[in-house]
Amino acid sequence: MSTYTLIATAAMGLESIVAKEVKELGYECQVENGKVIFKGDETAIARANMWLRTADRIKILVGEFKAYSFDELFENTKKLPWEDFLPVDAEFPVQGKSVKSKLYSVPDCQAIVKKAIVERLRTAYKRTSWLDETGPLFKIEVAIHKDVASITLDTSGQGLHKRGYRIGQGEAPLKETLAAALIQLTTWNADRPFVDPFCGSGTIAIEAALIGQNIAPGFNREFLSEEWPLMPADVWEKTRLEAEDLANYDQPLEILGTDIDHRMIDVSKENALEAGLGDLVKFKQMQVRDFTSELEYGIIVGNPPYGERLGERKEVEKMYQEMGRAFEKLDTWSVYMLTSHENFEQCYGKQATKKRKLFNGFIRTDYYQFFGPRPQESDLIRIVGKR
């Protein structure tokens, strides 16, 4: 086993949540803008991909150095031990980005890094001809920021938000990683009721069920590094067995997703089935103003319409008002809503206990958090007994 510097990339505002997940896996880490850095071996690569619910990708940092000229970029890239990562037949496309740096031509940077890696591999493998690139895929990125070049290998392949269960979606689907983060920012645990009143394709409710039963988010998909020779054959098998052993499929859950659109209810049910959750998550067509519950100490998490389109604003504001009146009756519940609407609290009729700035894609939003009372142990026993 080798030790690598690993990077869990994260959407803006989610770095601390990703860091918490990394620490829960047993790895010390440091947080920077958009990423969480930690050390680990091949098992850490597999476990991070399998278990991190809120990270975007897991990358290996191959090297980092200052590069003020193309010659420096070429020579420093060539010095890196590429033969330790790439077999002689590796396919290795190079992507790039450059911010506030002298080397601003991304296509030139990509070409130079590619050429340097080829030269290194030809020397290491004693090849005089060009490399075939018919073997496993290694996605390489050169990112230059303020003249510091970081060269990484993507171990994930598709982004980690691609869980493998979403076979249908609505117009503006919430990323699974953000949905998981919204849940982790609440006080919910599996003993309490959970509701998403704007469920769309069911993402938040499904992510809650995965968290509630401790099902690894990567259990239903494959990862790019599974094909890499540097990963021992049994690492992924052991990681999947660990995920299976740690899942608590017997944990009862009270999770409901509702939506005004009956078509999205059908999509949600299909996605839940694809996730292997069967009827564990309930979905129902309903307007938010009609929601009521006899259960206590529940958690409501929603990503309602924002009213950003012309003509939708008044309709959305009316819906926020109706939601506030409906939820006012749930005096033991906690409510969490994500929206970009700057007057949400006024429409809802209540000031949030706390709010947090998050980005839904490129949309700046606030996560409004209305805390209900914390249940005592006797209350939780009563909640479970009502099922």
Side-chain angles (χ1 to χ4, degrees):
M1 289 285 196
S2 302
T3 300
Y4 305 95
T5 298
L6 303 176
I7 300 171
T9 61
M12 194 183 304
L14 300 187
E15 295 93 342
S16 63
I17 304 171
V18 174
K20 182 173 180 287
E21 289 192 278
V22 170
K23 289 173 185 174
E24 286 172 352
L25 282 178
Y27 309 107
E28 291 300 314
C29 62
Q30 65 185 76
V31 179
E32 296 183 10
N33 284 339
K35 58 187 175 183
V36 175
I37 303 165
F38 60 106
K39 299 277 189 181
D41 58 11
E42 290 85 353
T43 297
I45 292 171
R47 293 183 73 233
N49 275 295
M50 181 65 62
W51 282 102
L52 294 185
R53 299 181 190 277
T54 57
D56 288 334
R57 293 177 184 276
I58 308 302
K59 297 181 177 182
I60 298 172
L61 179 65
V62 181
E64 193 168 70
F65 49 82
K66 290 185 177 179
Y68 299 102
S69 68
F70 289 132
D71 282 343
E72 284 182 305
L73 181 62
F74 179 87
E75 293 301 332
N76 284 315
T77 300
K78 190 177 172 182
K79 286 177 185 176
L80 298 173
W82 289 103
E83 65 276 11
D84 292 348
F85 299 94
L86 276 59
V88 66
D89 62 346
E91 178 186 356
F92 54 100
V94 178
Q95 293 182 317
K97 57 186 178 184
S98 179
V99 179
K100 298 179 181 177
S101 300
K102 289 182 172 63
L103 302 180
Y104 58 83
S105 172
V106 172
D108 286 335
C109 292
Q110 292 173 174
I112 286 163
V113 167
K114 177 81 175 185
K115 184 178 178 182
I117 297 171
V118 168
E119 288 295 309
R120 174 79 187 205
L121 292 179
R122 285 174 66 187
T123 301
Y125 290 119
K126 298 179 172 55
R127 284 293 188 96
T128 54
S129 60
W130 285 99
L131 304 174
D132 294 332
E133 295 198 44
T134 55
L137 176 63
F138 293 77
K139 291 183 178 179
I140 296 169
E141 181 184 71
V142 52
I144 308 176
H145 182 246
K146 293 182 179 178
D147 300 311
V148 175
S150 301
I151 303 184
T152 56
L153 279 173
D154 175 15
T155 73
S156 303
Q158 287 190 315
L160 294 182
H161 71 283
K162 298 276 191 180
R163 312 287 206 223
Y165 64 71
R166 185 182 273 173
I167 55 178
Q169 62 187 40
E171 287 183 14
L174 192 72
K175 266 191 174 182
E176 292 87 336
T177 43
L178 178 55
L182 297 183
I183 298 160
Q184 294 192 43
L185 285 168
T186 75
T187 56
W188 181 71
N189 60 57
D191 290 329
R192 298 173 69 176
F194 184 97
V195 175
D196 174 9
F198 306 97
C199 69
S201 55
T203 306
I204 293 176
I206 290 170
E207 289 296 319
L210 297 179
I211 291 170
Q213 291 198 333
N214 200 37
I215 298 171
F219 81 105
N220 200 28
R221 57 161 285 174
E222 296 177 343
F223 303 93
L224 187 61
S225 50
E226 291 186 61
E227 303 299 321
W228 294 0
L230 68 86
M231 296 289 284
D234 63 343
V235 162
W236 284 102
E237 183 182 354
K238 287 179 179 177
T239 300
R240 287 197 163 87
L241 285 173
E242 177 193 40
E244 186 68 26
D245 288 343
L246 292 175
N248 182 9
Y249 297 116
D250 295 326
Q251 172 65 50
L253 298 171
E254 189 75 48
I255 297 177
L256 173 67
T258 70
D259 200 280
I260 193 172
D261 188 343
H262 69 89
R263 293 169 300 179
M264 295 316 300
I265 296 300
D266 291 338
V267 170
S268 295
K269 289 177 179 177
E270 290 174 5
N271 288 342
L273 283 170
E274 187 67 22
L277 300 172
D279 295 328
L280 191 68
V281 185
K282 302 293 190 294
F283 294 101
K284 183 178 180 181
Q285 183 186 7
M286 181 188 293
Q287 295 192 56
V288 66
R289 69 187 181 201
D290 296 327
F291 179 76
T292 184
S293 177
E294 294 180 1
L295 299 174
E296 296 178 312
Y297 298 101
I299 301 290
I300 297 174
V301 177
N303 177 42
Y306 300 166
E308 293 199 328
R309 291 181 186 172
L310 199 63
E312 286 184 352
R313 195 172 181 86
K314 285 188 177 180
E315 186 180 336
V316 162
E317 289 175 349
K318 181 185 176 186
M319 182 266 292
Y320 289 163
Q321 292 168 359
E322 293 172 343
M323 174 169 58
R325 287 194 290 270
F327 293 171
E328 190 178 14
K329 301 164 190 172
L330 305 170
D331 55 2
T332 65
W333 287 56
S334 297
V335 177
Y336 301 79
M337 287 289 148
L338 184 74
T339 177
S340 64
H341 196 301
E342 66 279 4
N343 294 322
F344 174 76
E345 287 168 304
Q346 292 92 316
C347 297
Y348 185 76
K350 188 177 180 181
Q351 187 173 0
T353 314
K354 187 178 179 182
K355 65 179 182 178
R356 180 175 181 140
K357 183 173 76 173
L358 294 173
F359 283 84
N360 183 0
F362 294 105
I363 302 173
R364 184 211 178 280
T365 62
D366 282 300
Y367 193 38
Y368 294 91
Q369 304 168 56
F370 303 87
F371 298 162
R374 181 172 293 182
Q376 302 300 314
E377 189 172 340
S378 58
D379 294 320
L380 287 175
I381 291 169
R382 193 167 68 250
I383 293 167
V384 174
K386 282 188 177 182
R387 289 184 180 145

